Amino acid sequence: MALSDLLYPDNPKRRQELIQLHQELFDCMSTNFRATNELTQVLNEHLGCTITNIQMRKSSTVRENCDIIIQAIHEIQHQIQKIDSDMKEKLEPVLYQKLYDIKEPELEKIAIAHKVFSIVLGEATSTAGMIAIKLLGSNLITFTVSKLVSLLAQIGASVLGGISITVLGLGIEMILHAILGAVERNQLLSAVRSYEKHLDEFKVASEKYQHAIHEVTSLVRQQVQ
């Protein structure tokens, strides 16, 4: 038994907690990658976007994978802003305002958006208008995405950022070395608490992000059915 374990008998438990927390982070990141690609596919197929799918780099660090998602989200935001600009350019001011008027019937908004996409794309899918209105009128491009990007940046900048995303494939001591680096073993509790705080906030934001994307992608599935 290591001397630090004799001095701090809870260390073995905390080591296991760190490993479990990292597994949860990995799972959460994986789901965010998949959700982002699902939204990208919908934007490309129905709204004429050309966004590239992203892939988790398992040999890279948490920070580098956070940056990949952040960049993809920024591109999605840019495309949604472009959609809004197209609407503003092609529509009369009164019609454009209707798109954001909560009192206007949803079907009328969808019809207006569909006409714009028919002009911009030449031919629009039956769900293009619905998807556009959902994106422009939901929290996807405001609070939900902004919160996730903020937390991704925080995780990337923290001590967690330098850890390999797939460090779980290593032995326990290698995992601890990767996570703690030069941190003394008596600081395991501090490391666990820091990880827990970041992960709890990240999981909540990720769930909201994934739910917002599901609301958009479900429109396509409903039309197929």
Side-chain angles (χ1 to χ4, degrees), residues 36-53 76 79 83 114 117-118 121-129 131-132 135 216-221 223-224:
T36 302
N37 283 336
E38 287 177 8
L39 179 59
T40 293
Q41 182 178 351
V42 168
L43 292 174
N44 289 346
E45 290 182 1
H46 298 276
L47 302 186
C49 300
T50 55
I51 306 171
T52 303
N53 278 354
I76 289 170
Q79 292 297 328
I83 290 168
H114 185 78
F117 277 105
S118 296
L121 301 178
E123 182 179 357
T125 66
S126 59
T127 55
I131 294 168
L135 289 171
V216 176
T217 56
S218 63
L219 295 174
V220 178
R221 286 191 287 271
Q223 288 297 303
V224 172

Side-chain angles (χ1 to χ4, degrees), residues 90-91 95 109-120 124 129:
K90 303 294 182 184
L91 293 171
L95 290 178
K109 294 180 183 180
I110 292 171
I112 293 171
H114 185 78
K115 288 180 181 179
V116 173
F117 277 105
S118 296
I119 295 171
V120 174

Side-chain angles (χ1 to χ4, degrees), residues 42-223:
V42 168
L43 292 174
N44 289 346
E45 290 182 1
H46 298 276
L47 302 186
C49 300
T50 55
I51 306 171
T52 303
N53 278 354
I54 56 176
Q55 185 173 0
M56 180 179 284
R57 296 177 182 172
K58 295 183 178 180
S59 61
S60 298
T61 63
V62 171
R63 180 183 301 112
E64 289 166 330
N65 280 285
C66 285
D67 288 343
I68 291 172
I69 297 182
I70 290 173
Q71 185 176 355
I73 289 175
H74 284 164
E75 177 59 23
I76 289 170
Q77 288 178 307
H78 172 73
Q79 292 297 328
I80 294 174
Q81 288 165 0
K82 183 178 182 301
I83 290 168
D84 176 72
S85 297
D86 287 340
M87 296 289 178
K88 193 170 186 178
E89 179 185 345
K90 303 294 182 184
L91 293 171
E92 294 291 331
V94 174
L95 290 178
Y96 175 75
Q97 290 300 323
K98 282 187 176 183
L99 295 178
Y100 293 95
D101 189 343
I102 59 175
K103 296 180 181 179
E104 288 294 326
E106 192 79 1
L107 288 177
E108 184 172 347
K109 294 180 183 180
I110 292 171
I112 293 171
H114 185 78
K115 288 180 181 179
V116 173
F117 277 105
S118 296
I119 295 171
V120 174
L121 301 178
E123 182 179 357
T125 66
S126 59
T127 55
M130 286 189 290
I131 294 168
I133 294 303
K134 175 64 73 173
L135 289 171
L136 295 174
S138 73
N139 286 329
L140 186 61
I141 59 173
T142 52
F143 176 78
T144 305
V145 168
S146 297
K147 181 65 174 178
L148 184 67
V149 168
S150 174
L151 287 171
L152 282 166
Q154 288 178 35
I155 290 173
S158 72
V159 67
L160 312 179
I163 306 167
S164 171
I165 194 69
T166 53
V167 73
L168 292 166
L170 305 174
I172 290 178
E173 287 303 319
M174 289 294 290
I175 294 172
L176 291 171
H177 177 74
I179 293 175
L180 298 175
V183 177
E184 293 295 330
R185 291 294 194 266
N186 61 359
Q187 292 181 297
L188 265 172
L189 179 59
S190 176
V192 169
R193 295 295 171 259
S194 174
Y195 215 147
E196 284 178 335
K197 179 180 182 296
H198 282 94
L199 186 59
D200 285 345
E201 293 178 351
F202 184 58
K203 285 166 68 175
V204 171
S206 294
E207 287 173 3
K208 291 180 179 178
Y209 173 69
Q210 292 155 20
H211 177 72
I213 289 177
H214 177 73
E215 286 188 354
V216 176
T217 56
S218 63
L219 295 174
V220 178
R221 286 191 287 271
Q222 289 170 8
Q223 288 297 303

